[in-house]
Amino acid sequence: MLLERTKAQNESLAKDVEHFKSVLEEEKAQNRIMIKRVEASEEEIESLKLRLVLSNTICAEQLEKIKELETSLSNKDASIEKLKQDKESIKSNYSSLVKLAHLEK
């Protein structure tokens, strides 16, 4: 009778062991899936980092071009102001010449 009880307990324990092995295998499979997802996420993160670096580089280049254009525009504005002053000076000189010519008549 003790032998039968021990056999029954051993069989029950064997079933429990098989069940836990099955559960363990399932968890291992889920862990492998999670590892692959993490690896894929890490690859995506690296890809995003590279895209960010490229984007920052492009932005820096564009910012430099904008600064160059601002400098050029500023220089052109100064040239326009100089031309306006020259125009006023020419008008004044012309007016003086006209007056002088009038006086000589």
Side-chain angles (χ1 to χ4, degrees), residues 24-50:
L24 182 61
E25 286 302 316
E26 186 178 317
E27 287 180 1
K28 280 183 181 179
Q30 288 176 353
N31 285 345
R32 282 191 290 272
I33 291 169
M34 292 303 292
I35 288 170
K36 287 180 181 178
R37 285 183 184 165
V38 167
E39 288 171 348
S41 294
E42 288 172 347
E43 289 175 8
E44 180 68 19
I45 288 169
E46 286 304 312
S47 173
L48 289 172
K49 283 180 182 178
L50 291 174

Side-chain angles (χ1 to χ4, degrees), residues 50-62:
L50 291 174
R51 287 172 52 194
L52 182 60
V53 167
L54 178 61
S55 178
N56 285 344
T57 302
I58 290 169
C59 286
E61 290 171 355
Q62 289 176 340

